[in-house]
Amino acid sequence: MFKFVFPALAYKEKAIEFINEFKEYNSEINGSGALDGYLEDSTYEEWLKKVLDDIDIANVEKPRVPALTYFYVREEDDKIVGMINIRLALNEFLRTEGGHIGYCIRPTERRKHYATEMLKKVLEIYDTMSIKEVLLGCDKDNVASSGVIKNCGGELIEELYSETFQAEIQRYVIRR
């Protein structure tokens, strides 16, 4: 069984271990709510402040958007298996190149359908907000991520080259 856990100081060491695994496996990090960047340039505590600022809907500074970030934690061992960033609105960049959701699964826990399970649970959150079209994007080379999106009902709507990511990306919509 898994649960979503809102980031807290109690998860600091587990979060650092989570990000370090991506580095150890030389794996790209997406959907961490910028945790990896904060750990390089600042502190976990500063990242926690950013996570809290992201949910302060009335005061989110442009061009940022309100968002919720969660750890996806396996209950039996309290291990962070994944992270997910749930965007409550879209700016122009997210509308064209990003999407409503960013997520990642730690390298040693991939190919176990955890990303599909996590995304399905988050789509239920969008249902409660009456968001009927959820946009997602991924690198065209990321066959695993596109498979997750398709397993959750994603329809490919566009492929384009992203100057920001320096890669060909695929954009999907999941209609609810």
Side-chain angles (χ1 to χ4, degrees):
M1 296 293 293
F2 291 88
K3 62 183 176 183
F4 288 115
V5 174
F6 193 77
L9 200 51
Y11 276 85
K12 179 178 179 175
E13 294 308 315
K14 291 175 190 268
I16 291 169
E17 175 190 301
F18 175 81
I19 293 298
N20 284 341
E21 184 173 305
F22 283 86
K23 293 175 184 176
E24 179 184 336
Y25 283 81
N26 198 28
S27 181
E28 193 171 328
I29 306 170
N30 297 303
S32 73
L35 174 58
D36 54 316
Y38 272 81
L39 292 178
E40 286 180 18
D41 302 331
S42 187
T43 65
Y44 180 80
E45 290 78 5
E46 283 296 312
W47 177 75
L48 284 178
K49 182 184 176 320
K50 183 212 73 92
V51 168
L52 289 172
D53 289 347
D54 284 350
I55 63 174
D56 184 2
I57 294 172
N59 295 302
V60 172
E61 292 185 23
K62 302 276 188 235
R64 298 192 56 74
V65 299
L68 300 165
T69 300
Y70 289 98
F71 297 132
Y72 193 57
V73 176
R74 185 170 39 222
E75 291 185 43
E76 72 185 48
D77 59 4
D78 204 37
K79 183 177 186 176
I80 299 173
V81 170
M83 285 185 73
I84 196 153
N85 188 256
I86 305 165
R87 299 176 191 114
L88 306 178
L90 298 177
N91 58 24
E92 189 56 34
F93 171 75
L94 292 171
R95 206 179 298 27
T96 58
E97 294 192 35
H100 284 98
I101 301 169
Y103 60 88
C104 59
I105 299 291
R106 69 189 310 150
T108 57
E109 297 290 348
R110 293 179 181 159
R111 300 187 173 276
K112 299 177 182 177
H113 305 287
Y114 295 155
T116 299
E117 293 169 21
M118 182 171 63
L119 183 55
K120 283 181 179 177
K121 289 179 183 178
V122 164
L123 289 169
E124 293 173 7
I125 295 170
Y126 282 97
D127 290 343
T128 66
M129 295 185 292
S130 298
I131 294 177
K132 299 295 181 197
E133 291 190 341
V134 179
L135 297 174
L136 293 102
C138 68
D139 286 359
K140 186 175 181 175
D141 304 5
N142 193 337
V143 177
S145 189
S146 65
V148 167
I149 296 167
K150 290 174 189 174
N151 286 341
C152 293
E155 301 168 36
L156 180 65
I157 54 174
E158 178 179 34
E159 291 184 353
L160 58 94
Y161 183 78
S162 166
E163 290 294 332
T164 304
F165 299 115
Q166 298 289 299
E168 193 77 21
I169 60 171
Q170 295 179 322
R171 295 184 58 243
Y172 291 86
V173 64
I174 298 176
R175 292 183 172 86
R176 307 293 289 163

